[in-house]
Amino acid sequence: MPRYIRPPSALPRDVEMAIESFGTMFSRAILRHLSLHGPTGAADLARELGTDSNTARRALRALEEAGLVTADAPAGQRRGRVVTFAIQPERLESLLAALKDYLLGH
């Protein structure tokens, strides 16, 4: 099966990342949970938000790539460990500001 290749976007990179990161209810729920409750592991997030650990890990990986969350262990050293994720409020503010400016035409 051919891989989907995303066409180049005319959107600024931070605007595109904001849309991708805030575009699902689950990603928004993760960000809100981490904001309210502090650093949390993927399994605990999954249990709290009513999903499975794999779904939580995939969403956390995308949020980590956007710089919205950080993990207490590097990506290559997580196997067999409980990894805790924390929100990056400065990056959250930055992406929200970029999206707001774009939508307001600034």
Side-chain angles (χ1 to χ4, degrees):
M1 177 188 285
R3 272 184 70 200
Y4 172 75
I5 298 175
R6 179 178 295 184
S9 174
L11 295 174
R13 183 69 184 131
D14 277 357
V15 172
E16 188 175 323
M17 289 185 108
I19 292 168
E20 289 175 7
S21 299
F22 308 140
T24 68
M25 285 179 60
F26 189 63
S27 291
R28 293 189 304 268
I30 288 174
L31 293 170
R32 180 153 174 81
H33 187 279
L34 293 175
S35 292
L36 294 174
H37 303 286
T40 309
D44 291 335
L45 272 170
R47 186 174 47 259
E48 291 290 325
L49 300 176
T51 192
D52 62 276
S53 294
N54 287 332
T55 299
R57 282 188 196 92
R58 274 193 303 277
L60 285 163
R61 192 169 26 255
L63 292 171
E64 188 176 19
E65 288 172 6
L68 288 164
V69 300
T70 55
D72 65 355
Q77 299 175 10
R78 296 180 187 171
R79 191 167 204 77
R81 293 185 57 181
V82 174
V83 179
T84 302
F85 293 86
I87 194 161
Q88 297 302 300
E90 300 84 13
R91 180 64 173 155
L92 178 64
E93 292 287 339
S94 171
L95 289 183
L96 287 170
L99 182 59
K100 176 185 170 188
D101 288 347
Y102 175 76
L103 293 173
L104 293 174
H106 298 158

